[in-house]
Each structure stands twice: as structure tokens, then as C-alpha cells.
Amino acid sequence: MDVVDIEGAFDSFEETWSPRLAASLNGQELKVAKLEGEFVWHSHPDADELFWVIEGDLTLELEGEPDQQLSDGQLGVVPAGVEHKPVADGLAKVVLFEPAGTENTGDADAGERQRDVEPLED
């Protein structure tokens, strides 16, 4: 069994908007990411996406719905197909949970914002 220290996971990298794979289970991936500023509008047509804020403040702007504000210890799930844009006011440390292979930019043509999920470094 692998044990992941979440605080240590966040300490292992500096890049923002570049998720790191912390664990895989049952076809799902748990990723850690540092977010700062605005991301791009996108959706995941076939996948719900869970955002769990470990530290900081995150706004999930949702197409056609009120924005959702998340702070330390709060989580929210963006349903499959809902267009959304994460916005971090300052640095936010966030855990993401979604099906394996889910692109960070979903269906958006985001060019340089698209990232492959990298494994955590020891």
C-alpha cells in the first residue's frame, strides 16, 4: 500500500496549473495542484470533477449558474458537461478527483495551458 503525505505532495513542486498524480483507484485519479489566477473556460463532457480546497480560496465560475466560492476544507463537484472556469485568488492548494485520463483543459483548445499529469516526485 502506498501512503501519500498531502502536505509533502504540495511541497514537492512549485508550478501552478500543473496537476500531479497522487493516487489511482478504480479508474479514478486523485491529483494535487497549485492554482493561482484564472484558468480557461472548459468542460468535461463525460466526467464529473471534484475540487477540494486544502488551503486558499477558489472560485468556480459556472456557465449559467451562480459562482461557487470554496475555502480551506471545502469541496465542490462540477457535473459532467458543465462549462466552468476555476479562479484562485492568491495561491490555492487543491485536490482534484476525476476519471483517469481526464484532460486538465477538458474540451477547450487551450494550447500551453494543457498539461499531462505528472507523477509526484519522492
Side-chain angles (χ1 to χ4, degrees):
M1 185 177 101
D2 292 330
V3 175
V4 176
D5 177 310
I6 293 296
E7 188 173 320
F10 284 112
D11 289 343
S12 72
F13 65 98
E14 294 297 322
E15 300 86 2
T16 58
W17 303 106
S18 187
R20 299 300 200 271
L21 181 62
S24 298
L25 65 152
N26 302 319
Q28 300 284 314
E29 291 181 337
L30 187 133
K31 304 168 189 174
V32 295
K34 293 180 179 178
L35 312 181
E36 189 168 23
E38 295 186 9
F39 200 54
V40 297
W41 281 101
H42 67 285
S43 69
H44 305 279
D46 300 315
D48 296 336
E49 185 176 24
L50 182 145
F51 290 82
W52 180 10
V53 177
I54 302 301
E55 182 181 309
D57 296 301
L58 182 68
T59 300
L60 293 173
E61 295 184 8
L62 306 169
E63 185 68 34
E65 297 183 33
D67 294 350
Q68 296 296 312
Q69 307 289 328
L70 303 174
S71 296
D72 297 2
Q74 295 182 315
L75 63 85
V77 177
V78 177
V82 173
E83 187 108 9
H84 60 285
K85 178 174 76 169
V87 179
D89 182 19
L91 183 67
K93 296 178 181 179
V94 176
V95 171
L96 305 166
F97 189 69
E98 56 200 359
T102 300
E103 297 284 341
N104 70 320
T105 55
D107 60 359
D109 181 17
E112 68 182 41
R113 297 307 294 265
Q114 187 168 347
R115 299 277 191 276
D116 291 330
V117 177
E118 297 180 35
L120 284 173
E121 297 181 16
D122 294 329

